[in-house]
Amino acid sequence: MARTQLGFDIGSSSMKTIVLHGDTIRVEEVCLPENMVDEGGNIALPHAFVQFLKQMRKELSLPGGAASLVLPPSQVICRLVTMPKMTTQQLMMNLPYEFTDFIQGVADQYFCDYALCSPGEGESEEQGIPMMAAVAAKERLAEYVQMFSRAGIRLKTILPQEMALINLVKGRKNMGEEFCFVDLGHRSTRITVVWRDRVQATRQIALGGRNLDLIAADELGVDAFLANTYKVNDYQGVQSASALTALCDRIAVEILKVINFYQFTYRSSSLEGIYLVGGGAAMPGLRASIKETVGLPLLSPERLLPGAGERAAAGIFAAGAAMGGK
């Protein structure tokens, strides 16, 4: 009997939820109340968030049972590392030292985990064992578990965006081994290339949906929060405003720079296209600018989430999280 899997992805402006049950997929996206999430991606109003979760659980008729949550890059560090062959106990003792340049405080304040990668071309155990390793603050993880628990949801798995993408593409041999995701988020744009069971490259561009909102707000004479709704619905043709179109072109050029650098670094790269995900993927003008500038086909996220329809772009990370909770 198919088991229901539930995944959550809390962005800076909306929460994405996915329900997987056998071959059926349901994707839900709900706007977060203003100021619910701060600049660092943290839940600024924990009590209000619990009430929000309770309300959404009821309105969306979400099933009970265990759930999975994907963490934003601001709250977890995930990277490809190579470690000498050692016991699991030795590995867990040594992993924190791989993150000394990124974490503050003592190692006991952080939780480390890893996933072994299959050897790549020319790699051998003598050279070291490749793995995706991640570290996050224990206090932050406990806060999420507590908030979801108070809303009646048991978090079984918490994982980084990178591992959610790996879960999503793992084993899809009929689609090749290399996948490029461009996450058009609210605060930034993030490009991630997954090769087999590892993240080959990731870069962040400090431009996102809120920059477009500010332009729309100026064009329409409203605040940025309301401008987001107007932008999405192309109110008074705001998506065609010259300043907004220029910013779409600028974002596309920055994406092109990242992809060109990646292909220069990995000469054997054979990207067949890119997947546009996140809230900005629903904006026709931005999609058109990226397609024209980057020169690679825009692949439909529904290839990875059959049955999710046009909401597939929003549910990618939540789906990867749910798959990791198997």
Side-chain angles (χ1 to χ4, degrees), residues 5 20 68 156-157 159 163-164 167-168 318-326:
Q5 297 159 255
L20 304 179
S68 302
K156 178 183 178 183
T157 307
L159 72 171
M163 291 308 302
N167 289 337
L168 193 70
M323 293 173 183
K326 287 183 179 181

Side-chain angles (χ1 to χ4, degrees), residues 71-79 98-104 110-113 132-137 160 162 190:
L71 288 179
S74 60
Q75 296 182 5
V76 59
I77 300 166
C78 184
R79 57 195 294 250
E98 293 293 318
F99 299 96
T100 52
D101 294 337
F102 306 97
I103 62 177
Q104 299 176 344
Y110 294 86
F111 177 78
C112 285
D113 204 356
M132 293 300 302
V135 62
E162 291 88 345
R190 191 175 182 87

Side-chain angles (χ1 to χ4, degrees), residues 14-324:
S14 68
M15 182 180 75
K16 281 73 70 175
T17 306
I18 193 160
V19 182
L20 304 179
H21 184 78
D23 294 330
T24 64
I25 297 177
R26 176 161 64 102
V27 181
E28 302 285 356
E29 181 174 13
V30 182
C31 288
L32 290 169
E34 192 173 6
N35 300 320
M36 180 69 76
V37 177
D38 64 21
E39 289 291 322
N42 307 306
I43 304 297
L45 305 168
H47 178 72
F49 181 71
V50 170
Q51 300 308 310
F52 170 79
L53 267 182
K54 287 181 177 179
Q55 181 182 349
M56 289 305 100
R57 184 185 176 198
K58 181 178 180 180
E59 290 183 4
L60 301 178
S61 300
L62 298 180
S68 302
L69 171 69
V70 61
L71 288 179
S74 60
Q75 296 182 5
V76 59
I77 300 166
C78 184
R79 57 195 294 250
L80 179 67
V81 303
T82 301
M83 301 288 287
K85 190 174 183 180
M86 60 182 75
T87 66
T88 301
Q89 184 178 8
Q90 291 172 327
L91 179 60
M92 295 308 293
M93 289 179 60
N94 284 279
L95 263 184
Y97 295 101
E98 293 293 318
F99 299 96
T100 52
D101 294 337
F102 306 97
I103 62 177
Q104 299 176 344
V106 297
D108 287 347
Q109 295 175 320
Y110 294 86
F111 177 78
C112 285
D113 204 356
Y114 67 95
L116 296 178
C117 300
S118 303
E121 297 174 5
E123 294 179 345
S124 64
E125 285 192 0
E126 289 72 23
Q127 297 172 314
I129 300 174
M131 62 188 73
M132 293 300 302
V135 62
K138 291 180 180 178
E139 183 178 1
R140 182 64 45 73
L141 299 179
E143 289 172 352
Y144 277 115
V145 171
Q146 184 180 47
M147 285 187 291
F148 274 79
S149 177
R150 287 170 59 193
I153 302 169
R154 180 171 66 89
L155 284 183
K156 178 183 178 183
T157 307
I158 303 177
L159 72 171
Q161 286 187 353
E162 291 88 345
M163 291 308 302
L165 292 178
I166 289 173
N167 289 337
L168 193 70
V169 305
K170 200 160 44 178
R172 298 178 186 268
K173 296 296 183 182
N174 59 323
M175 295 185 184
E177 299 179 318
E178 196 176 28
F179 300 80
C180 179
F181 296 90
V182 178
D183 179 18
L184 301 167
H186 185 64
R187 291 198 172 98
S188 64
T189 297
R190 191 175 182 87
I191 299 99
T192 304
V193 180
V194 177
W195 181 71
R196 294 184 181 175
D197 54 3
R198 65 182 71 181
V199 169
Q200 192 88 293
T202 181
R203 292 290 185 276
Q204 183 167 297
I205 300 167
L207 291 171
R210 68 173 173 180
N211 301 95
L212 298 170
D213 291 348
L214 291 173
I215 293 176
D218 187 57
E219 292 283 335
L220 298 171
V222 298
D223 65 76
F225 188 75
L226 183 59
N228 177 57
T229 302
Y230 287 170
K231 178 197 69 180
V232 170
N233 295 300
D234 196 21
Y235 180 70
Q236 293 185 2
V238 69
Q239 290 187 16
S240 301
S242 58
L244 197 142
T245 300
L247 183 54
C248 288
D249 291 342
R250 183 181 168 195
I251 292 173
V253 169
E254 294 301 319
I255 294 171
L256 174 64
K257 290 178 182 177
V258 173
I259 292 177
N260 280 347
F261 182 76
Y262 169 76
Q263 292 178 321
F264 176 80
T265 304
Y266 297 94
R267 299 298 180 90
S268 61
S269 170
S270 56
L271 289 176
E272 61 175 273
I274 59 177
Y275 292 91
L276 299 185
V277 300
M283 188 173 167
L286 183 54
R287 292 177 59 87
S289 291
I290 294 171
K291 182 178 181 179
E292 181 179 349
T293 303
V294 175
L296 287 172
L298 302 186
L299 304 175
S300 171
E302 195 177 0
R303 297 177 73 205
L304 303 172
L305 291 179
E310 60 183 17
R311 289 190 174 184
I316 286 292
F317 294 110
M323 293 173 183

